């Protein structure tokens, strides 16, 4: 497993996260009442100080009432303004010291403001969901909100018994008590704060396919009325899982779940071990099947192999986009080459002012980043040939499982599998803004 390294402040979101320490584990105990949209919680956060003593540190948490904070059992001084919880322990923490933070909070959760609208905890007509990418996690729990700080999670949620709680990870227990039920999930793999997924609703649970001995359990959680359409739209997900394990390597987590809300979502949302879809993504005609493939692929690219910071987001979205093309190619649809040709034609008619290596905060979710990212992978495949390309991908996933990566690391990794230098390819496709010519099989790696 890759070693998680300390990294600096995220340049796109300098107010989020604190690079002076890292979290090892979060233990969240939550109570949520859907009617009044009332959340109360306790977080126990096990962390490790960095290379310098910590006289104070920061967590991110939205506008909740805080009733108690302890650091190693002692009451610290703290301030809580503008989504930042600044904590000064009674005694400075030694460099490299393990420490524990306990936070009790309550209030009415709501999305946090962002350039893309509200992010994080969203109250639904009858339930709730969490869609945190990239900075919505503090809308519901205190965290070191930076993608490079990955931790394990234990999440306990108590809610009225009419509701199901779905979270990424393995369901450990479900305990009924009077009119409430407590659901406890464990996510043991290192997880970025924005990838902690959760939804609360009236769901019916189904098993997708038969995982067989040693297979990956896949569950769907959907409103009962959508079950017929869901059964067709997601019928081929087990085949996708088989294909992606063949191409990318073993599925990196214990199980995988998809949940469909009663309400529409602009786009599906990936979380670790879980993807959230809107009712508009279920039509009974496989109209969103490419998105089913896209979200599944994120479990390898983005969730297991994660970003060192948000400048490198094309490593999430470009890889997931190319996975859509690979699924199409292997399931009887247009080939990756045909889809690359269509994407290249579309990009050629759009402004040529986006650099994948550093798209800027405003453009990090631009459609062009997704399509051009997919074309980068296709260009690498054309340069390396299929055998070396897929060997390279499996090696990339294996080496960085549970860790964080950068564009430079990927460039260097590809170079180890190429017969010729790939510097020119990445300079043109990733560093430059102008759209290079359409990649063709057998193209030279440097051109």
């Amino acid at each position: 497993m890759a070693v998680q390294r300390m990294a600096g402040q995220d340049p796109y979101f300098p107010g989020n996260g604190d690079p002076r320490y890292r979290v090892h584990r979060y233990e969240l105990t939550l109570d949520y009442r859907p009617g009044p949209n009332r959340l109360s919680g306790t977080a126990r956060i096990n962390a490790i100080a960095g290379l310098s003593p910590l006289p104070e540190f920061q967590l991110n948490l939205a506008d909740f009432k805080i009733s108690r904070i302890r650091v190693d059992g002692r009451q610290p001084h703290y301030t809580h303004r503008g989504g930042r919880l600044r904590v000064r322990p009674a005694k400075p923490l030694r460099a490299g010291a393990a420490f524990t933070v306990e936070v009790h909070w309550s209030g009415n959760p709501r999305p946090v403001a962002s350039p893309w609208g509200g992010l994080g905890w969203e109250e639904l007509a009858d339930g709730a969901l969490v869609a945190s990418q990239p900075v919505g996690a503090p809308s519901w729990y205190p965290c070191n909100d930076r993608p490079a700080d990955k931790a394990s999670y234990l999440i306990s949620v108590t809610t009225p018994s009419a509701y199901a709680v779905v979270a990424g990870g393995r369901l450990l227990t479900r305990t009924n008590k009077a009119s409430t039920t407590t659901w406890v999930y464990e996510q043991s793999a290192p997880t970025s704060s924005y990838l902690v997924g959760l939804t609360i609703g009236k769901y019916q649970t189904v098993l997708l396919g038969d995982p067989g001995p040693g297979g990956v359990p896949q569950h769907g959680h959907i409103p009962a009325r959508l079950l017929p359409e869901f059964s067709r739209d997601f019928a081929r997900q087990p085949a996708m899982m088989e294909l992606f394990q063949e191409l990318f390597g073993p599925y990196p987590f214990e199980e995988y779940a998809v949940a469909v809300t009663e309400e529409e979502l602009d786009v599906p949302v990936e979380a670790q071990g879980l993807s959230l879809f809107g009712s508009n993504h279920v039509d009974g005609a496989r109209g969103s099947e490419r998105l089913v493939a896209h979200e599944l692929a994120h479990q390898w690219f983005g969730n297991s192999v994660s970003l060192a910071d948000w400048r490198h987001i094309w490593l999430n979205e470009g890889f997931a986009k190319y996975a859509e093309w690979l699924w199409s190619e292997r399931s009887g649809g247009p080939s990756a080459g045909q889809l690359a040709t269509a994407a290249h034609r579309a990009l050629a008619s759009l402004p040529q002012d986006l650099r994948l290596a550093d798209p800027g905060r405003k453009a990090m979710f631009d459609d062009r980043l997704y399509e051009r990212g997919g074309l980068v992978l296709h260009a690498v495949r054309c340069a390396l040939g299929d055998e070396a390309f897929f060997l390279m991908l499996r090696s990339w996933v294996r080496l960085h499982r549970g860790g964080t990566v950068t564009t430079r690391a990927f460039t260097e990794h590809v170079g180890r599998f190429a017969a010729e230098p790939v510097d020119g390819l990445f300079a043109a496709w990733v560093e430059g803004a102008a759209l290079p010519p359409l990649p063709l099989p057998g193209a030279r790696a440097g051109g």
Side-chain angles (χ1 to χ4, degrees):
M1 181 175 289
V3 176
Q4 185 174 318
R5 302 178 180 88
M6 291 285 186
Q9 205 78 33
D10 192 297
Y12 289 2
F13 303 97
N16 281 61
D18 188 335
R20 296 172 296 175
Y21 73 97
R22 65 180 179 88
V23 177
H24 170 66
R25 182 171 176 82
Y26 292 87
E27 296 180 353
L28 307 178
T29 303
L30 310 174
D31 187 291
Y32 181 65
R33 305 297 156 139
N37 186 38
R38 184 74 179 175
L39 178 69
S40 59
T42 300
R44 183 177 175 85
I45 303 169
N46 299 321
I48 301 171
L51 299 177
S52 302
L54 274 184
E56 56 89 25
F57 60 89
Q58 174 184 305
L59 291 161
N60 291 103
L61 180 64
D63 186 21
F64 290 98
K65 178 184 178 182
I66 295 176
S67 58
R68 174 186 169 98
I69 296 183
R70 294 290 184 270
V71 178
D72 290 334
R74 302 181 66 179
Q75 184 172 335
H77 176 77
Y78 70 89
T79 60
H80 184 208
R81 287 192 294 270
R84 300 187 192 187
L85 178 56
R86 300 182 185 276
V87 182
R88 191 171 73 234
K91 289 177 58 178
L93 300 165
R94 293 180 293 103
F99 63 99
T100 300
V101 186
E102 186 179 311
V103 183
H104 297 238
W105 75 99
S106 61
N108 299 106
R110 59 180 182 272
V112 297
S114 83
W116 308 278
L119 298 172
W121 190 285
E122 184 175 345
E123 181 186 9
L124 303 178
D126 195 18
L129 68 81
V130 169
S132 292
Q133 188 178 16
V135 289
S139 68
W140 64 288
Y141 74 101
C143 56
N144 191 12
D145 191 31
R146 43 200 298 271
D149 194 23
K150 303 176 71 172
S152 66
Y153 282 79
L154 182 71
I155 303 175
S156 171
V157 184
T158 299
T159 198
S161 294
Y163 295 86
V165 176
V166 181
R170 184 163 59 96
L171 178 63
L172 298 182
T173 61
R174 184 179 64 193
T175 308
N176 296 316
K177 185 178 181 181
S179 61
T180 64
T181 300
T182 299
W183 305 68
V184 180
Y185 284 87
E186 169 82 30
Q187 177 55 268
S188 57
T191 307
S192 301
S193 51
Y194 83 92
L195 287 170
V196 183
L198 182 73
T199 182
I200 298 170
K202 294 175 180 175
Y203 297 125
Q204 183 169 331
T205 300
V206 297
L207 181 66
L208 283 163
D210 179 3
V216 179
Q218 299 175 65
H219 289 92
H221 307 272
I222 61 273
R225 69 177 182 86
L226 293 176
L227 184 56
E229 293 85 355
F230 175 88
S231 297
R232 176 170 172 77
D233 291 338
F234 286 78
R236 301 209 291 182
Q237 183 179 280
M240 292 178 192
M241 179 70 79
E242 282 190 31
L243 175 64
F244 291 169
Q245 290 195 96
E246 173 196 330
L247 299 181
F248 310 146
Y251 179 73
F253 309 117
E254 291 184 82
E255 46 193 85
Y256 181 58
V258 293
V260 178
T261 73
E262 279 279 11
E263 300 186 23
E264 296 189 357
L265 300 179
D266 290 340
V267 293
V269 179
E270 76 266 19
Q272 190 137 312
L274 170 69
S275 295
L276 303 171
F277 293 81
S279 59
N280 52 311
H281 299 123
V282 177
D283 60 8
R286 293 179 178 159
S288 296
E289 188 169 85
R290 72 171 186 84
L291 300 177
V292 176
H294 184 106
E295 301 309 322
L296 176 59
H298 271 313
Q299 303 305 319
W300 286 264
F301 304 110
N303 298 6
S304 178
V305 181
S306 302
L307 307 176
D309 64 60
W310 288 107
R311 288 174 298 182
H312 310 285
I313 188 171
W314 83 270
L315 290 171
N316 286 8
E317 302 303 346
F319 281 60
K321 171 58 68 173
Y322 199 62
E324 295 178 29
W325 300 355
L326 291 171
W327 167 248
S328 174
E329 180 173 272
R330 292 288 288 268
S331 63
S335 69
Q338 290 171 315
L339 293 168
T341 300
H344 192 274
R345 185 183 305 118
L347 286 173
S349 66
L350 298 173
Q352 308 291 311
D353 59 358
L354 183 141
R355 293 177 55 247
L356 289 184
D358 190 358
R361 190 169 80 167
K362 288 184 179 179
M364 59 187 283
F365 296 114
D366 193 306
D367 285 346
R368 293 174 297 164
L369 180 140
Y370 292 59
E371 301 293 339
R372 183 160 176 155
L375 282 167
V376 173
L377 272 296
H378 194 65
V380 171
R381 181 183 178 185
C382 290
L384 269 59
D386 277 12
E387 184 177 354
F389 175 74
F390 290 111
L391 185 63
M392 178 275 296
L393 276 189
R394 288 189 292 273
S395 173
W396 174 251
V397 170
R398 184 179 68 254
L399 288 171
H400 298 285
R401 178 172 176 162
T404 57
V405 294
T406 63
T407 297
R408 180 176 178 180
F410 183 63
T411 303
E412 292 173 351
H413 180 79
V414 171
R416 290 192 280 273
F417 291 82
E420 300 176 11
V422 294
D423 296 353
L425 185 156
F426 281 94
W429 279 101
V430 179
E431 300 292 341
L435 183 68
L438 178 69
L440 298 171
R444 292 173 59 86

